[in-house]
Amino acid sequence: MGRDPREPGMMQKLGMKLGLEMQTVMDTSCSHVAELMMNGSNMGIINLTKILNSFPNASPAVKDLCNRFVAEEQENIQRMKGFLQ
């Protein structure tokens, strides 16, 4: 669409970093990290699906990109299941 994606702002990056540190301060096990990653992937799938449903007239290229992203996130979730204990 002729626009460049925006880079997350410094405060957003800091918030994400602090949130991750808070989530892993007591438990850095592979299982816990996999669970955090799965939760993040699920949130991304949900948000992208909501956005995609809000724009039914989006171009086929945009819909294809969104669907590929969702499929990739679903594959990531499947891979992370192997680390859960």
Side-chain angles (χ1 to χ4, degrees), residues 47-77:
N47 288 334
L48 186 55
T49 302
K50 285 180 179 180
I51 291 168
L52 194 54
N53 288 341
S54 296
F55 295 96
N57 297 326
S59 73
V62 169
K63 289 180 180 180
D64 180 58
L65 180 63
C66 292
N67 289 327
R68 287 191 337 236
F69 179 81
V70 167
E72 188 69 33
E73 288 300 309
Q74 289 170 332
E75 286 179 31
N76 289 338
I77 290 169

Side-chain angles (χ1 to χ4, degrees), residues 33-52:
V33 172
E35 183 179 349
L36 294 174
M37 292 176 69
M38 291 170 70
N39 288 336
S41 290
N42 276 320
M43 287 179 4
I45 290 169
I46 290 167
N47 288 334
L48 186 55
T49 302
K50 285 180 179 180
I51 291 168
L52 194 54

